[in-house]
Amino acid sequence: MADRSALITGVTGQDGSYLAELLVSKGYKVYGLVRRLSSPNMSHLKGIRDAIEILDGDLMDQTSLQQAVKAADPTEIYNLAAQSFVAASFSQPVLTGEVTALGAVRMLEAARAHAPTARFYQAASSEMFGHVEREPQDELTRFHPRSPYGVAKVYAYWACVNYREAYGMFVSNGILFNHESERRGIEFVTRKISDGVARIVTGHAKHLTLGNLDARRDWGYAPDYVEFMWRTLQHQVPDDFVGATGESHTVREFVAAAFHEAGIDAWEPFVRTDDRFKRPSEVYNLRGDPSKAAQRLGWKATTRFDELVRTMVRADLARYGRT
Ligand code: F7E
């Protein structure tokens, strides 16, 4: 039996699937918590489906979480599951609070009852900084969330700090800035752009319709960030760390780079904007300072912006049959 085992919530998503691959490659016994759906979506796990064990459970349901933690008896827990789409959190604020905020507390409670010595990673988010007071943002920057999602992540963040202080549990927050990949959900802006460019170039669409093109984000590559998560739990003591590239770009720059990668420099005629894709309160500017993670965890984002855009556009072009 493997002496290291991990339970991952959100294992079917972008981060969960990359993390599961990383931990399997390191010899962990990996358990993935999966919410029952009438049409299960395990596509990101296809390469490792036989190497991991799936457990049924839902962050809304305390009993299922307790049973999952008991069954896995993990040495590490990664809480990656959430209602993670910021735009949807405005139309479903209560659900977002239930899953993203209270779901984390339910996982902490399950861990406290059944695996109190397990190391616990919480997927905190740069959305907690929201209306930023200074740039770049680090572990000491004040939180000012701008969406129900950001508010829920702040609640979960402080719940984790509280379980560390109150019960002495090994609980760490990874405050990750945006991280993308060819596995990113199609509703997030980077993937919407890479997919949209591929559709236009292959004749499947005429336009790409977006919201605020001036928003700035610190975009990294998701496989780098699951390495960050693992390193966070290998640190001697539980602590909170920012994970970021330290570089920011506008949505407009992402659009230009993506069209350029597909051979189009005059991209403006192909892009429209619509208020439908704008948010009631926007986060305009995010750029992280990953110095603490560099010093204490020896972590650095290796994939830069141009390479990220290239990887995503090429993957979507290939999906539409263009190599
Ligand atoms: O938006 C703007 C939008 O939805 C990025 C999640 O993983 O990262 C992600 O949150 C920016 C925003 O990600 C469209 O207004 C313009 O300013 O890709 P996004 P996000 O909201 O930054 C953080 C770290 C998380 O924790 C979250 O879970 O792009 N934008 N036009 C658009 N965004 C979308 N989705 N669609 C548009 O058409």
Side-chain angles (χ1 to χ4, degrees):
M1 217 187 104
D3 54 352
R4 294 194 293 180
S5 55
L7 172 61
I8 304 173
T9 75
V11 73
T12 56
Q14 167 188 266
D15 291 5
S17 59
Y18 282 126
L19 179 64
E21 286 170 7
L22 178 75
L23 297 182
V24 165
S25 78
K26 289 184 183 294
Y28 278 70
K29 168 80 185 157
V30 175
Y31 297 85
L33 189 81
V34 174
R35 180 163 50 105
R36 206 201 72 81
L37 294 173
S38 48
S39 309
N41 186 0
M42 302 274 191
S43 59
H44 295 333
L45 296 174
K46 57 179 183 291
I48 52 162
R49 183 61 197 86
D50 294 338
I52 67 173
E53 196 162 319
I54 297 297
L55 299 170
D56 288 331
D58 193 313
L59 285 196
M60 302 278 280
D61 183 80
Q62 186 73 56
T63 307
S64 67
L65 301 183
Q66 306 216 154
Q67 282 167 353
V69 172
K70 240 181 179 167
D73 190 21
T75 56
E76 295 173 14
I77 296 173
Y78 295 86
N79 185 40
L80 311 187
Q83 190 305 93
S84 66
F85 187 36
V86 172
S89 78
F90 287 101
S91 52
Q92 302 185 357
V94 177
L95 174 83
T96 302
E98 281 286 355
V99 176
T100 305
L102 289 179
V105 179
R106 293 189 189 101
M107 272 311 291
L108 287 164
E109 275 296 288
R112 186 163 80 92
H114 300 292
T117 59
R119 296 184 169 203
F120 191 107
Y121 176 91
Q122 166 63 14
S125 165
S126 55
E127 280 296 298
M128 302 190 307
F129 297 123
H131 190 67
V132 297
E133 61 168 17
R134 64 176 190 217
E135 198 190 325
Q137 297 84 47
D138 64 18
E139 292 79 3
L140 300 176
T141 306
R142 195 167 62 95
F143 299 145
H144 183 154
R146 294 270 282 173
S147 64
Y149 170 81
V151 172
K153 282 290 184 187
V154 171
Y155 181 104
Y157 169 93
W158 283 114
C160 287
V161 173
N162 180 241
Y163 274 61
R164 189 160 78 209
E165 293 174 357
Y167 307 117
M169 289 167 63
F170 193 115
V171 183
S172 297
N173 283 290
I175 308 172
L176 296 194
F177 283 63
N178 299 54
H179 44 285
E180 319 293 313
S181 75
E182 50 276 44
R183 293 187 195 173
R184 189 54 142 154
I186 208 90
E187 67 275 32
F188 295 93
V189 79
T190 55
R191 186 70 204 294
K192 186 173 169 183
I193 295 167
S194 63
D195 176 72
V197 167
R199 286 165 62 85
I200 290 168
V201 168
T202 56
H204 291 84
K206 289 194 163 40
H207 298 105
L208 168 62
T209 307
L210 297 167
N212 175 18
L213 300 183
D214 297 317
R216 296 189 83 88
R217 288 292 183 277
D218 180 327
W219 280 297
Y221 189 45
D224 285 345
Y225 289 63
V226 299
E227 171 76 23
F228 172 102
M229 296 174 188
W230 177 74
R231 286 185 185 225
T232 296
L233 291 196
Q234 311 316 305
H235 193 49
Q236 306 87 306
V237 288
D239 202 350
D240 307 320
F241 298 96
V242 159
T245 67
E247 189 182 309
S248 75
H249 295 270
T250 60
V251 171
R252 190 186 308 279
E253 285 165 356
F254 198 105
V255 168
F259 273 102
H260 176 76
E261 185 55 40
I264 297 174
D265 284 326
W267 55 269
E268 287 84 352
F270 299 106
V271 176
R272 294 175 170 173
T273 56
D274 189 319
D275 286 349
R276 237 170 354 121
F277 297 111
K278 292 187 176 158
R279 295 168 185 182
S281 50
E282 172 69 296
V283 172
Y284 294 103
N285 196 7
L286 289 177
R287 183 165 71 86
D289 174 358
S291 321
K292 182 177 170 186
Q295 281 160 12
R296 311 234 180 121
L297 305 178
W299 179 85
K300 194 173 184 298
T302 54
T303 306
R304 311 313 294 186
F305 180 74
D306 287 341
E307 196 184 337
L308 170 69
V309 177
R310 189 175 315 125
T311 302
M312 292 182 70
V313 171
R314 286 190 183 172
D316 276 319
L317 282 171
R319 274 198 320 123
Y320 287 98
R322 176 79 65 96
T323 48

